[in-house]
Amino acid sequence: MKIGELAKATQTQAETIRFYEHEGLLGKPPRSKGNFRLYGREHLERLAFIRHCRSLDMTLEEIRALLRFQDAPRENCQAINDVLEEHIDHVSRRIRDLKELHKELKSLRDQCDGVAAECGILDGLKSVSLSKAAAGHSVHSVGYRKPPESSRGPKQSAKN
C-alpha cells in the first residue's frame, strides 16, 4: 500500500509516518518504479504498535526500547517491565502536577471581582509566573519530561 493508504488505515498523517521512518521507529519501505513508498503488513502492525504507545503518552525513547524487545523476542523481558514501571511513575507524577495545577486554577478563578483593571486572576497570573521563574521552575512544566535514562533499551550482553 502507498503512504496515503497506510495513513488512512492507521489514522496517522503521512508526515508523521515519514517522521517515524526518519527516527528509525518504522522501517523504510521499498519503493515502486515510480518511486512511491510501498508499505506492507509489517509496517501497518508496527505503526499500530507505535500509535498505541503514543496514545499511552510514551516517549519516542520508550517506544524505541519496546520495539527493540519486539525485534528480539528471545530476550529477557524484565527491561520491558522496567520501562513500564518508569512510565507509570511519570504518569503518577503528572497526575500530582495536574492536581496542583487544577487547584491553582480554581484559586485564581476565585480571585476575579469583575473589573479587568483590578482583576485578581490577571494579577495572580503575573505573580505565579514571576515567583516560579524566580525559583527556577518552568512555568509550563506540567506534562513535559525527558525520557528516563533506563528507557534507552536493554543493556548489551557480553555476546553482543
Side-chain angles (χ1 to χ4, degrees):
M1 70 183 87
K2 293 181 183 174
I3 196 165
E5 296 167 300
L6 180 63
K8 187 174 181 178
T10 60
Q11 298 179 338
T12 306
Q13 293 188 13
E15 296 82 20
T16 302
I17 294 170
R18 287 187 203 104
F19 173 76
Y20 290 150
E21 285 177 23
H22 180 265
E23 289 295 311
L25 296 173
L26 191 63
K28 300 242 184 243
R31 299 244 180 191
S32 70
K33 289 184 182 185
N35 206 27
F36 291 106
R37 291 175 169 95
L38 297 176
Y39 296 91
R41 180 138 188 91
E42 67 279 2
H43 294 100
L44 178 69
E45 290 172 358
R46 192 165 180 106
L47 184 55
F49 180 91
I50 293 166
R51 296 277 296 163
H52 191 183
C53 290
R54 291 296 293 149
S55 76
L56 296 172
D57 196 35
M58 291 184 177
T59 65
L60 295 181
E61 284 303 315
E62 289 168 329
I63 296 168
R64 195 173 275 115
L66 295 175
L67 286 170
R68 279 194 287 267
F69 284 104
Q70 186 173 324
D71 294 340
R74 297 228 183 268
E75 292 289 325
N76 181 319
C77 68
Q78 179 56 44
I80 295 171
N81 288 322
D82 294 343
V83 169
L84 259 312
E85 193 60 41
E86 287 184 32
H87 190 65
I88 290 166
D89 289 345
H90 159 72
V91 170
S92 295
R93 286 188 306 275
R94 188 168 175 198
I95 289 169
R96 282 191 304 272
D97 290 346
L98 287 170
K99 284 181 178 178
E100 186 62 34
L101 174 63
H102 184 259
K103 187 172 132 182
E104 186 175 327
L105 288 170
K106 287 175 77 174
S107 174
L108 279 171
R109 181 191 62 201
D110 295 341
Q111 296 178 28
C112 183
D113 59 7
V115 180
E118 301 168 11
C119 182
I121 294 173
L122 297 176
D123 289 340
L125 287 170
K126 288 179 198 172
S127 66
V128 169
S129 297
L130 294 175
S131 66
K132 284 191 175 189
H137 294 100
S138 171
V139 176
H140 303 289
S141 63
V142 174
Y144 174 77
R145 69 190 170 112
K146 291 181 181 175
E149 289 298 317
S150 65
S151 71
R152 301 194 195 284
K155 291 191 167 69
Q156 297 295 320
S157 65
K159 63 182 176 183
N160 286 345

